[in-house]
């Protein structure tokens, strides 16, 4: 990431109610961030774990093999963060905000974050998960609230799962007041391929739901 490759809390205690590592009021603009296909990378930070991030953004970036703002997002909080006017491409889980979002532990949460006027696209032909906000979401009832995607172009490839908000969402993900939208002049467009042997699975909000509820 432009700010840091990896941020985490050392010697985490599960009884701690607040993250010690805080990232606030940081941004990246007009940059190109290139990550290897097997390494977490993000426009601002490559990977966060047990972190609270707020009031941060990425604008007019080109981000390769990563997420628009954050690469891997685990057990952390984010509020009032956004990605705008950027291009995000990748080979695995690909998202306009982050590649994958895991809130299963700690008191992780997302609130009031968005992605706008951004291109999110897969460059591989395999089981890729492409989402306007995140490639994959697994929350275990930790909340994602008031987040949205607006005026994006989201492109899946052969055999991929492609959704306006997420490529795939796991069971027990708690998502409230989140949506995908656009304007008459600049709608959100979600595209796939129709190759008979590897059709793209496309959904307006989610490409694939894994679970029973």
């Amino acid at each position: 990431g432009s700010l840091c490759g990896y941020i985490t809390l050392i010697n985490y205690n599960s009884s701690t109610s607040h993250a010690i590592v805080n990232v606030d009021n940081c941004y990246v603009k007009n940059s190109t961030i290139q990550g290897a296909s097997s390494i977490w990378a993000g426009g601002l930070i490559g990977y966060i774990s047990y972190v609270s991030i707020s009031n941060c953004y990425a604008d007019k970036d080109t981000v390769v093999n990563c997420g628009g703002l954050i690469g891997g997002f685990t057990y952390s909080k984010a509020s009032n963060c956004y990605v705008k006017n950027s291009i995000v491409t990748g080979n695995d889980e690909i998202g306009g905000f982050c590649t994958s979002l895991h809130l299963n532990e700690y008191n992780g949460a997302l609130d009031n974050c968005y992605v706008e006027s951004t291109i999110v696209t897969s460059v591989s032909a395999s089981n890729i998960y492409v989402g306007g906000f995140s490639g994959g979401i697994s929350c275990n009832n930790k909340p994602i609230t008031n987040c949205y995607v607006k005026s994006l172009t989201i492109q899946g490839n052969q055999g991929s799962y492609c959704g306006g908000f997420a490529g795939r969402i796991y069971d027990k993900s708690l998502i409230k007041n989140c949506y995908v939208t656009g304007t008459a002049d600049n709608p959100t467009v979600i595209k796939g391929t129709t190759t008979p042997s590897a059709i793209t699975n496309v959904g307006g909000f989610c490409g694939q739901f894994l679970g029973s509820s």
Side-chain angles (χ1 to χ4, degrees):
S2 296
L3 176 67
C4 185
Y6 191 113
I7 300 178
T8 190
L9 176 65
I10 306 300
N11 296 325
Y12 169 71
N13 185 334
S14 61
S15 64
T16 301
S17 59
H18 301 283
I20 294 175
V21 182
N22 292 285
V23 179
D24 186 48
N25 288 310
C26 297
Y27 68 91
V28 55
K29 292 184 70 174
N30 301 308
S31 298
T32 298
I33 298 92
Q34 172 78 54
S37 59
S38 60
I39 295 174
W40 296 109
L44 186 70
I45 304 170
Y47 187 95
I48 64 172
S49 182
Y50 303 112
V51 170
S52 179
I53 179 171
S54 57
N55 306 306
C56 295
Y57 69 89
D59 190 8
K60 298 178 183 177
D61 285 345
T62 299
V63 190
V64 183
N65 288 330
C66 42
L69 188 72
I70 299 165
F73 189 112
T74 61
Y75 320 145
S76 296
K77 291 182 176 182
S79 62
N80 304 315
C81 297
Y82 66 85
V83 176
K84 290 180 70 174
N85 307 313
S86 297
I87 299 171
V88 181
T89 66
N91 294 292
D92 192 357
E93 289 184 315
I94 309 147
F97 189 84
C98 59
T99 60
S100 61
L101 181 57
H102 300 279
L103 305 179
N104 305 55
E105 295 181 13
Y106 175 57
N107 54 346
L110 263 82
D111 183 60
N112 197 35
C113 297
Y114 67 90
V115 183
E116 187 172 330
S117 301
T118 290
I119 297 170
V120 182
T121 184
S122 164
V123 295
S124 290
S126 58
N127 291 325
I128 305 302
Y129 297 91
V130 187
F133 195 86
S134 179
I137 294 176
S138 176
C139 297
N140 195 26
N141 294 317
K142 306 299 189 297
I144 300 173
T145 55
N146 307 310
C147 297
Y148 68 88
V149 165
K150 182 179 180 181
S151 300
L152 265 64
T153 297
I154 304 163
Q155 174 69 64
N157 212 320
Q158 297 177 16
S160 62
Y161 296 85
C162 188
F165 195 81
R168 60 178 168 181
I169 298 175
Y170 287 89
D171 195 14
K172 297 181 180 180
S173 290
L174 183 59
I175 303 172
K176 293 184 176 181
N177 299 321
C178 297
Y179 58 91
V180 178
T181 188
T183 66
D185 294 332
N186 193 9
T188 287
V189 178
I190 308 165
K191 300 186 290 185
T193 62
T194 56
T195 303
S197 61
I199 295 174
T200 307
N201 301 278
V202 175
F205 193 84
C206 174
Q208 181 186 44
F209 176 70
L210 300 174
S212 58
S213 63

